[in-house]
Amino acid sequence: MENSKRPRSAGRILRAVGVAAVSTWTGLVLAGLLIFYLAAASLISPKSQGLLTGSGGLYAAWPLKTLLALAVLNVICATIVRVRLSLANLGLWCAHLGVVVLAVGAWWY
Protein backbone atom coordinates (compact mmCIF):
# COMPACT_ATOMS: atom_id res chain seq x y z
CA MET A 1 0.00 0.00 0.00
CA GLU A 2 2.88 2.32 0.75
CA ASN A 3 4.41 1.68 -2.68
CA SER A 4 1.16 2.49 -4.46
CA LYS A 5 1.26 6.03 -3.07
CA ARG A 6 4.78 6.75 -4.29
CA PRO A 7 4.06 6.78 -8.04
CA ARG A 8 1.03 8.96 -7.46
CA SER A 9 3.03 11.52 -5.49
CA ALA A 10 5.88 11.37 -8.00
CA GLY A 11 3.34 11.89 -10.77
CA ARG A 12 1.91 14.88 -8.94
CA ILE A 13 5.36 16.36 -8.53
CA LEU A 14 6.17 15.85 -12.21
CA ARG A 15 2.83 17.32 -13.21
CA ALA A 16 3.43 20.36 -10.97
CA VAL A 17 6.89 20.86 -12.48
CA GLY A 18 5.41 20.57 -15.96
CA VAL A 19 2.68 23.08 -15.21
CA ALA A 20 5.24 25.48 -13.72
CA ALA A 21 7.53 25.03 -16.73
CA VAL A 22 4.88 26.29 -19.15
CA SER A 23 3.29 28.87 -16.86
CA THR A 24 3.28 32.53 -17.75
CA TRP A 25 3.48 33.37 -14.05
CA THR A 26 6.70 31.39 -13.70
CA GLY A 27 8.17 33.41 -16.55
CA LEU A 28 7.08 36.67 -14.98
CA VAL A 29 8.54 35.71 -11.60
CA LEU A 30 11.83 34.70 -13.23
CA ALA A 31 11.91 37.98 -15.20
CA GLY A 32 11.27 39.91 -11.98
CA LEU A 33 14.07 38.05 -10.20
CA LEU A 34 16.43 38.75 -13.10
CA ILE A 35 15.55 42.43 -13.04
CA PHE A 36 15.97 42.58 -9.27
CA TYR A 37 19.36 40.83 -9.41
CA LEU A 38 20.66 43.09 -12.18
CA ALA A 39 19.28 46.22 -10.47
CA ALA A 40 20.93 45.26 -7.18
CA ALA A 41 24.20 44.56 -8.98
CA SER A 42 24.04 47.94 -10.74
CA LEU A 43 23.83 49.75 -7.41
CA ILE A 44 27.51 48.99 -6.84
CA SER A 45 29.58 52.12 -7.23
CA PRO A 46 31.74 52.56 -10.33
CA LYS A 47 34.83 52.37 -8.12
CA SER A 48 34.00 48.75 -7.33
CA GLN A 49 33.54 47.57 -10.92
CA GLY A 50 35.76 44.57 -10.19
CA LEU A 51 32.87 43.06 -8.24
CA LEU A 52 30.71 43.06 -11.36
CA THR A 53 33.00 41.80 -14.09
CA GLY A 54 35.55 39.04 -14.36
CA SER A 55 35.29 35.38 -13.52
CA GLY A 56 34.23 36.01 -9.92
CA GLY A 57 31.98 38.98 -10.59
CA LEU A 58 28.25 39.27 -10.06
CA TYR A 59 27.57 39.12 -13.79
CA ALA A 60 29.37 35.75 -14.01
CA ALA A 61 27.97 34.32 -10.77
CA TRP A 62 25.86 31.18 -10.62
CA PRO A 63 22.60 32.87 -9.49
CA LEU A 64 22.42 34.96 -12.65
CA LYS A 65 23.27 32.01 -14.87
CA THR A 66 20.69 29.83 -13.11
CA LEU A 67 17.94 32.46 -13.41
CA LEU A 68 18.80 33.00 -17.06
CA ALA A 69 18.76 29.26 -17.79
CA LEU A 70 15.41 28.80 -16.02
CA ALA A 71 13.91 31.76 -17.89
CA VAL A 72 15.10 30.37 -21.24
CA LEU A 73 13.73 26.92 -20.41
CA ASN A 74 10.41 28.51 -19.46
CA VAL A 75 10.21 30.42 -22.73
CA ILE A 76 11.09 27.32 -24.75
CA CYS A 77 8.63 25.04 -22.92
CA ALA A 78 5.82 27.58 -22.93
CA THR A 79 6.26 28.28 -26.63
CA ILE A 80 6.33 24.62 -27.61
CA VAL A 81 3.37 23.62 -25.43
CA ARG A 82 1.10 26.66 -25.66
CA VAL A 83 1.65 28.11 -29.12
CA ARG A 84 0.63 26.18 -32.22
CA LEU A 85 3.11 26.45 -35.07
CA SER A 86 1.20 28.24 -37.79
CA LEU A 87 1.65 31.16 -40.12
CA ALA A 88 -0.42 33.41 -37.85
CA ASN A 89 1.87 32.62 -34.87
CA LEU A 90 5.14 32.88 -36.78
CA GLY A 91 5.92 36.32 -35.33
CA LEU A 92 5.54 35.03 -31.79
CA TRP A 93 7.78 32.06 -32.52
CA CYS A 94 10.41 34.41 -34.00
CA ALA A 95 10.22 36.77 -31.02
CA HIS A 96 10.65 33.91 -28.57
CA LEU A 97 13.51 32.51 -30.63
CA GLY A 98 15.12 35.95 -30.52
CA VAL A 99 14.85 36.04 -26.72
CA VAL A 100 16.47 32.60 -26.53
CA VAL A 101 19.28 33.64 -28.90
CA LEU A 102 19.94 36.82 -26.89
CA ALA A 103 20.00 34.87 -23.62
CA VAL A 104 22.37 32.24 -25.01
CA GLY A 105 24.61 34.99 -26.37
CA ALA A 106 24.65 36.75 -23.00
CA TRP A 107 25.47 33.48 -21.23
CA TRP A 108 28.20 32.69 -23.74
CA TYR A 109 29.75 36.14 -23.40
Side-chain angles (χ1 to χ4, degrees):
M1 194 165 205
E2 186 82 24
N3 290 335
S4 66
K5 288 187 177 182
R6 280 192 178 155
R8 234 187 278 168
S9 64
R12 286 180 185 161
I13 291 171
L14 286 175
R15 186 174 297 122
V17 169
V19 167
V22 299
S23 172
T24 304
W25 290 106
T26 303
L28 290 173
V29 167
L30 288 169
L33 289 172
L34 277 166
I35 290 169
F36 178 76
Y37 183 90
L38 293 172
S42 70
L43 291 175
I44 294 175
S45 69
K47 294 178 183 177
S48 305
Q49 285 294 94
L51 292 173
L52 295 176
T53 58
S55 62
L58 291 175
Y59 291 150
W62 68 268
L64 182 61
K65 289 183 179 181
T66 303
L67 285 172
L68 188 58
L70 289 173
V72 167
L73 285 174
N74 177 257
V75 167
I76 291 170
C77 291
T79 303
I80 290 171
V81 171
R82 291 180 166 232
V83 182
R84 189 176 52 199
L85 185 58
S86 66
L87 187 59
N89 293 331
L90 192 58
L92 182 100
W93 276 85
C94 289
H96 284 190
L97 180 64
V99 168
V100 171
V101 168
L102 284 173
V104 169
W107 180 78
W108 183 279
Y109 179 71

